[in-house]
Amino acid sequence: DPDSGDNGCLQYSLVGGQTNEFDINENTGQIFTVSVAGKAGTFYLQVQAADQGTRRLTAQTTVNVTVDSSSSSNVVMLVLNQKISAVERKRVEVQRVLEEKLGWNVYVLNIYSKESDRNSRSSTDETQVNIIAFDEAHQEVPAEDVKRKVREQRAAIELGLQDVFSAPVSAAVPEAAAAAAAPAPPERAAAIVLGVLLATTFIAFLAYVLLDLKRKRYPGKYGKQDLVKKVDIMEGIDNPWADDKNGSLKSLEKPEHMNN
């Protein structure tokens, strides 16, 4: 709008089409997805621009958005130490900083938190941002190139985001999660199992040695226990040395019925 002042200040809105799948930034006119998961095809959006003059003038146009059913393998996740509500409000600014520091066209695909509960999401100072970058030829930049560039420009990115959020910001590509998710090679798995078995055997042997040393150190304690066990066993047999009811020793002679 060539006008100046309020007459040249435009606000954008979606007035038709699939507004449940898309939304628009009222200040910049940038259209972004809300939820198109599992959907494919062409969406027709009716976009309106309106100035802020005394007599508001408007204009409309149709925007056709084609959603491809294929999924890209070049999506990169960036973790920010900010609440999800703050990142969602600053979505456009975050994208602008990434474009400036990386030198590519960057699109923020989605913003989410690990926590699903609303209260937990609002209190968690960690937000995951999925981005994809395109070069001047409108070709997707490989994810590994994006990750490498993010690492190289991390300080500059964090400084730019600090101005956006008015607070220190940490921006990192979580490599550890990907490494943990990858299955261990067979050789490593075998080494881990062998190590566990050896550790278990060593612990069992160590316990046996300690118990044996304890018995040798306190022979009276363990000897008395063994003697009690022997006496308990002998009470069930005809013990020739046991006292009878009169207090005398039982005869060692064989009973008459055993003479034969």
Side-chain angles (χ1 to χ4, degrees), residues 7-220:
N7 291 334
C9 181
L10 300 181
Q11 284 191 340
Y12 302 89
S13 61
L14 295 178
V15 295
Q18 289 82 359
T19 54
N20 292 330
E21 285 79 12
F22 298 88
D23 204 349
I24 190 170
N25 186 303
E26 64 176 9
N27 297 318
T28 65
Q30 182 187 36
I31 298 172
F32 54 91
T33 60
V34 176
S35 176
V36 292
K39 300 178 182 179
T42 301
F43 297 82
Y44 302 94
L45 309 178
Q46 196 70 17
V47 180
Q48 175 176 283
D51 65 22
Q52 304 302 302
T54 303
R55 294 187 303 168
R56 299 186 64 182
L57 299 179
T58 63
Q60 295 184 2
T61 189
T62 301
V63 177
N64 302 334
V65 180
T66 301
V67 179
D68 192 348
S69 59
S70 63
S71 60
S72 174
S73 60
N74 294 316
V75 177
V76 175
M77 183 174 70
L78 192 65
V79 179
L80 306 181
N81 64 333
Q82 298 292 318
K83 290 182 173 59
I84 185 172
S85 57
V87 178
E88 287 174 337
R89 287 196 305 269
K90 302 291 186 178
R91 182 189 190 113
V92 176
E93 291 86 343
V94 170
Q95 182 170 300
R96 174 181 54 78
V97 169
L98 293 175
E99 287 183 336
E100 290 178 355
K101 306 308 178 183
L102 298 180
W104 295 310
N105 292 322
V106 175
Y107 294 91
V108 175
L109 300 178
N110 49 47
I111 300 171
Y112 59 97
S113 172
K114 291 182 179 179
E115 303 294 341
S116 58
D117 181 72
R118 175 173 294 184
N119 294 331
S120 299
R121 288 171 75 242
S122 62
S123 62
T124 301
D125 290 331
E126 183 175 291
T127 301
Q128 299 173 356
V129 180
N130 281 353
I131 64 172
I132 188 169
F134 291 86
D135 57 22
E136 295 180 354
H138 304 291
Q139 298 298 316
E140 292 182 6
V141 180
E144 291 305 317
D145 292 345
V146 177
K147 292 178 182 179
R148 185 184 68 253
K149 194 70 172 289
V150 169
R151 296 190 196 100
E152 293 174 354
Q153 299 296 323
R154 180 173 179 177
I157 292 172
E158 291 179 343
L159 190 60
L161 293 177
Q162 179 176 329
D163 294 337
V164 171
F165 293 99
S166 300
V169 177
S170 171
V173 177
E175 294 291 350
E187 297 82 0
R188 182 178 296 179
I192 293 174
V193 172
L194 181 60
V196 171
L197 292 176
L198 290 175
T200 304
T201 304
F202 176 76
I203 292 173
F205 175 75
L206 183 62
Y208 172 79
V209 171
L210 292 175
L211 181 60
D212 186 61
L213 291 175
K214 192 173 183 181
R215 286 180 175 177
K216 292 180 179 179
R217 187 174 181 180
Y218 304 100

